[in-house]
Amino acid sequence: MLPTMVSPPPNLHVFRRDLAAAFRAAVRFGMHEGVCNHFSLGVDGNRTFLLNPHGVHFSRLRASNLALIDVEGRGLDGDESIHTAFYIHARIHLANPNARCILHAHPVHATAIASVEGGRLLPCHQNSLRFAGRVAYYDDYGGLVLDDAEGDRIAAALSTKSVIFMKNHGVIVTGPTVADALDDLYYLERAAQLQVVALSTGQPLALVPEAIAAETARQFAKLNPINAALHFDEIKRILDSEEPDYAN
């Protein structure tokens, strides 16, 4: 067993609390699936990050039981039960310095889009437009991600985008903070839900022209950090009132 990290970042508990809040929020959003999805947050650049330990339900995760590991897979707080998700998170953290927070989940409607041939998020609603130019697609399902090679392929497909739809699998959303990534995950699923419901009518989608979609995305880019922080602050206030153990 490796020794406990000698000099943890002074704000490590804040990072732990914020990531724990994201897990609890995902349960409230209906975006958890067994104990198989995973979120991470870089705490020392992107070479050291927090990751949920294997086998703990999102609804029970607390700040104190998140595992602190490095990109080589070494536990830095004595926890050796590293999630197999390491191979996704470590490779994206290494490849994309802007991916400070990485959220991988299987939300129903976004995953439905990833599960149809040629599935794409289409500019049919305002919520979709916030993602214009920000979405990548990984169309080569390669089974469970159990090695660096598959993690590298996913990271390469994501490149500098902040969202990726993984065919036959799910989605990954990244951001510079937990607030940014969680807000995007929430609105990504809302946009996907609207698209799936609209298609179920059998009528053609009313697509927004590319130029308007691009301009709306630029407007969102200015507002999103502000609204994401406000959204996340409200989520934490709700958790502080109803599930205060998340911060322990």
Side-chain angles (χ1 to χ4, degrees):
M1 180 181 294
L2 292 172
T4 302
M5 189 171 68
V6 175
S7 301
N11 50 356
L12 181 59
H13 179 69
V14 175
F15 294 148
R16 286 184 176 277
R17 182 201 63 195
D18 282 358
L19 191 58
F23 287 110
R24 299 295 183 96
V27 175
R28 289 171 176 256
F29 295 162
M31 295 185 194
H32 60 300
E33 189 169 71
V35 294
C36 298
N37 293 166
H38 29 88
F39 298 170
S40 68
L41 176 63
V43 299
D44 181 15
N46 272 15
R47 297 194 64 84
T48 303
F49 56 93
L50 294 167
L51 182 69
N52 48 309
H54 183 66
V56 181
H57 196 273
F58 278 21
S59 65
R60 296 183 58 246
L61 276 165
R62 300 183 180 195
S64 60
N65 61 19
L66 295 170
L68 182 65
I69 63 177
D70 66 17
V71 293
E72 304 300 327
R74 295 174 294 204
L76 302 178
D77 54 6
D79 188 345
E80 296 180 334
S81 60
I82 302 305
H83 205 299
T84 54
F86 164 79
Y87 296 105
I88 290 178
H89 291 261
R91 307 318 289 178
I92 294 176
H93 279 304
L94 278 171
N96 188 342
N98 294 320
R100 183 82 178 271
C101 181
I102 302 172
L103 310 181
H104 171 60
H106 303 162
V108 172
H109 298 91
T111 303
I113 291 175
S115 300
V116 298
E117 193 63 40
R120 296 293 186 264
L121 184 69
L122 300 174
C124 62
H125 184 264
Q126 182 169 282
N127 284 342
S128 309
L129 303 184
R130 69 185 278 146
F131 300 103
R134 299 174 52 206
V135 180
Y137 297 89
Y138 184 56
D139 290 329
D140 301 305
Y141 180 72
L144 300 181
V145 185
L146 301 177
D147 56 44
D148 286 344
E150 182 67 4
D152 283 337
R153 285 189 285 270
I154 294 169
L158 176 64
S159 186
T160 58
K161 305 292 188 182
S162 57
V163 175
I164 186 166
F165 282 75
M166 302 162 67
K167 189 175 181 181
N168 309 120
H169 189 169
V171 295
I172 294 172
V173 175
T174 71
T177 69
V178 176
D180 291 305
L182 186 65
D183 196 56
D184 270 351
L185 180 63
Y186 172 81
Y187 278 105
L188 182 70
E189 174 62 1
R190 296 290 286 183
Q193 181 180 18
L194 189 284
Q195 180 175 316
V196 170
V197 171
L199 285 171
S200 74
T201 68
Q203 300 298 310
L205 296 178
L207 300 181
V208 176
E210 184 176 349
I212 296 176
E215 176 57 28
T216 305
R218 285 190 287 271
Q219 293 172 335
F220 268 122
K222 295 178 181 179
L223 295 173
N224 283 350
I226 299 169
N227 288 333
L230 292 172
H231 188 192
F232 194 44
D233 284 346
E234 280 295 278
I235 288 169
K236 287 187 287 187
R237 289 186 187 103
I238 293 169
L239 292 173
D240 287 341
S241 174
E242 300 178 5
E243 302 179 51
D245 65 312
Y246 83 95
N248 295 341

